[in-house]
Amino acid sequence: MKKNSRTWIMTAIFIATFMTSVEVTIVTTALPEIISALHGLRFQSWIMSSYLLTTAVSTLIYGKLADTYGRKKLFQLGVILFTIGSFLSGVADNIFLMIAARALQGCGAGAVIPLTFTIIADVYSFKERARIMAFTNTAWGLSALIGPLLGGFLVENLSWHWVFFVNVPLGILVWLIMQFRYAEPKRDVTRIAIDGWGCCWLAIGLTALLIGIQLLQQTPLKGWLLIIAALIFLGIFIFHESQTDHPLLPLLIFKNRTFNVQIITATILSGILIGYQIYFPIWLQSLYHIHATEAGLVVTSSSICWLLASFTIGRLLSNFAPRQIALVVITIQAAAYAGLLLAGSHFPYGLFYFVAAVSGGGMGIVITMNIMLSQQLVPTELIASASSVVTLGRSLGQTLLTGIYGSVFNLTLNFHLPQNLQGKVNQVITGKSAALPVKELVLVKTALLSSLHLVFLVVIGLFIVVLLCNWFDPNRKIIS
């Protein structure tokens, strides 16, 4: 492909990556205004969950279709759905239309996110890919930096509607670039074979799983029943895939143990990532009385280090086996987190930024490596499916562990606090604890610290699982 065309394609991928990643941070900032305007407090969690759900459900479907029919049309379809969903979210006048529009956005993101990785693999060689992945990571870093600021500016100076409208011109621009600059080779498709039953079992299983996780904290019994049902349907899905001639998820890609290690590692590390993004700001605001904006900068430091570290992955892969890189980096991350288990009321709050920086830098190296290797370790005709599996794993890792962290956090609080003080936890977390008696404030803070310690004990346990997984990786050689 001509250098000029590759530059245009990378521009489109950069914009698309920024557009889909900033959607999380920018909407979070505007969420209170949206809930107030649409009178949707009871359904506020679904504004985010519907987007995540349809993204997860559609990811594998798009991956299979892209391997069969090509990338360009599916990528453009994803951009169209995301753009229309953004526009409908902006004009929504009730909470149910908002949730439906967000679900449509997710259907678009389910194509855009994995296919950006797939197109990079198509256009660039393995050696070039590390540099390009690092460039793409810049879009994720920018979204973390700009998203909250842009969201606040739009809400304060225009309205919450513009949080969604801002995606519309970006989506149109990406579609036009891909239409006129991406010349994809024609594929000889002699038969249209879509695994309908596979789509059905996957959609039911993932929907039940994600809804079950959402219900764990409010109604644990219903949540666990849905999770058990989800595991049954996903088991049916896997059995069906092993029997059908045209599987939605080609199971042969899992015959490579090193590929499986990459998927497990990316899934668990993505779950660890969401842990500090949620609980570091809570820790700083409730126990250190740090302002919300300053507490949010802890996530920003992680994003910057993620970006910088990802530029080193090409050199690292040229000199070390993936197993060696993962073991060293994950051990350093785990050691940084271990100090949190001993953190008391006098723990220097600046060290939270250090832990976040180490964690972000490690994620930039390992997760970028996971994506590259998962594409390299499968046949060329299955690259899109492999990219979709990584994307799905990362989404599920964050969703599953968000539910687990929340359950651990809330159960520990309930155990340590009497009923009459449980309602006062929010006052402490939001920095409105001045009116509380000193004895009550000490009890609440002690319970919060115990809960946070237990959350990060779970995180340390997850690091150990990832280390063991990489220790048993059979590959000891540099992959090229």
Side-chain angles (χ1 to χ4, degrees):
M1 184 174 289
K2 292 180 180 179
K3 185 176 180 180
N4 185 48
S5 295
R6 294 208 301 183
T7 302
W8 277 107
I9 291 167
M10 276 312 304
T11 301
I13 286 176
F14 183 90
I15 296 171
T17 302
F18 176 81
M19 183 174 69
T20 51
S21 59
V22 80
E23 187 61 23
V24 177
T25 54
I26 197 172
V27 171
T28 301
T29 306
L31 207 53
E33 289 286 336
I34 296 170
I35 294 166
S36 174
L38 301 182
H39 309 290
L41 183 60
R42 286 180 57 196
F43 302 97
Q44 57 91 13
S45 65
W46 281 100
I47 295 176
M48 299 302 294
S49 298
S50 59
Y51 177 81
L52 181 62
L53 174 63
T54 51
T55 300
V57 168
S58 61
T59 293
L60 280 184
I61 298 171
Y62 283 120
K64 173 63 177 177
L65 292 175
D67 277 334
T68 306
Y69 306 115
R71 329 308 193 194
K72 180 175 178 177
K73 290 183 178 179
L74 281 226
F75 184 83
Q76 287 182 299
L77 173 63
V79 170
I80 290 170
L81 293 177
F82 186 88
T83 304
I84 294 173
S86 298
F87 177 77
L88 292 177
S89 296
V91 300
D93 58 359
N94 64 74
I95 191 65
F96 300 108
L97 180 56
M98 170 62 74
I99 291 170
R102 290 283 288 164
L104 184 61
Q105 265 190 309
C107 288
V112 173
I113 295 172
L115 286 180
T116 54
F117 300 132
T118 307
I119 292 170
I120 289 172
D122 288 343
V123 176
Y124 294 91
S125 69
F126 183 73
K127 290 183 178 180
E128 293 175 309
R129 223 172 289 164
R131 176 174 52 85
I132 299 302
M133 287 286 190
F135 173 72
T136 306
N137 283 338
T138 307
W140 291 93
L142 280 175
S143 69
L145 289 169
I146 295 174
L149 298 175
L150 181 60
F153 174 82
L154 292 173
V155 169
E156 290 175 12
N157 294 278
L158 296 171
S159 70
W160 65 264
H161 305 275
W162 286 93
V163 166
F164 300 102
F165 289 153
V166 73
N167 286 321
V168 175
L170 294 178
I172 293 171
L173 178 60
V174 170
W175 190 92
L176 289 172
I177 292 174
M178 296 301 286
Q179 177 66 25
F180 295 106
R181 290 292 179 174
Y182 184 25
E184 185 179 36
K186 290 184 178 180
R187 290 171 181 261
D188 184 18
V189 180
T190 57
R191 178 184 176 186
I192 298 176
I194 298 176
D195 182 12
W197 279 109
C199 294
C200 178
W201 298 128
L202 177 68
I204 294 172
L206 289 180
T207 301
L209 181 64
L210 297 180
I211 294 176
I213 292 166
Q214 291 290 320
L215 293 177
L216 274 181
Q217 296 181 44
Q218 290 84 25
T219 53
L221 180 60
K222 289 181 180 178
W224 282 115
L225 287 174
L226 271 176
I227 290 172
I228 293 169
L231 294 176
I232 293 171
F233 282 114
L234 292 175
I236 295 171
F237 167 72
I238 292 171
F239 176 77
H240 170 78
E241 294 300 283
S242 68
Q243 303 298 312
T244 184
D245 294 330
H246 302 281
L248 180 65
L249 177 63
L251 298 182
L252 65 89
I253 63 177
F254 296 104
K255 290 184 178 180
N256 186 307
R257 284 175 59 191
T258 299
F259 174 84
N260 295 336
V261 169
Q262 306 312 310
I263 301 302
I264 294 169
T265 301
T267 299
I268 296 178
L269 288 186
S270 296
I272 290 172
L273 175 72
I274 202 70
Y276 75 77
Q277 287 180 339
I278 294 173
Y279 290 99
F280 272 23
I282 289 175
W283 198 325
L284 291 172
Q285 286 179 254
S286 58
L287 301 181
Y288 290 84
H289 307 291
I290 302 297
H291 190 271
T293 303
E294 188 179 350
L297 289 176
V298 73
V299 178
T300 302
S301 69
S302 168
S303 300
I304 293 172
C305 290
W306 180 309
L307 167 62
L308 295 176
S310 64
F311 280 98
T312 68
I313 188 63
R315 182 169 296 179
L316 289 172
L317 283 173
S318 297
N319 294 282
F320 303 99
R323 174 180 179 273
Q324 295 173 306
I325 298 170
L327 287 174
V328 171
V329 172
I330 295 166
T331 299
I332 294 171
Q333 287 180 296
Y337 272 91
L340 296 174
L341 302 182
L342 305 174
S345 56
H346 300 293
F347 188 76
Y349 81 87
L351 290 179
F352 286 93
Y353 296 88
F354 171 75
V355 175
V358 171
S359 186
M363 300 293 179
I365 293 171
V366 179
I367 292 182
T368 303
M369 180 177 71
N370 296 150
I371 296 168
M372 292 176 59
L373 294 179
S374 64
Q375 296 173 333
Q376 188 72 0
L377 294 168
V378 300
T380 304
E381 64 272 14
L382 296 177
I383 285 178
S385 293
S387 301
S388 296
V389 171
V390 178
T391 304
L392 177 61
R394 292 177 65 182
S395 297
L396 288 179
Q398 292 188 340
T399 309
L400 285 167
L401 286 168
T402 297
I404 292 170
Y405 295 146
S407 297
V408 168
F409 185 79
N410 289 323
L411 287 171
T412 309
L413 276 179
N414 294 339
F415 178 78
H416 283 284
L417 283 177
Q419 189 71 33
N420 64 310
L421 289 182
Q422 290 176 14
K424 298 181 180 181
V425 173
N426 282 335
Q427 286 180 255
V428 178
I429 290 176
T430 55
K432 299 174 183 177
S433 58
L436 289 178
V438 175
K439 285 186 177 180
E440 291 185 356
L441 182 59
V442 170
L443 284 172
V444 173
K445 284 191 171 184
T446 302
L448 276 170
L449 187 59
S450 298
S451 301
L452 290 165
H453 280 163
L454 203 55
V455 166
F456 287 101
L457 181 61
V458 172
V459 168
I460 295 297
L462 292 169
F463 273 124
I464 292 171
V465 172
V466 178
L467 281 170
L468 288 173
C469 183
N470 282 273
W471 181 266
F472 291 107
D473 182 353
N475 181 71
R476 263 51 172 192
K477 299 178 181 179
I478 295 172
I479 296 177
S480 59

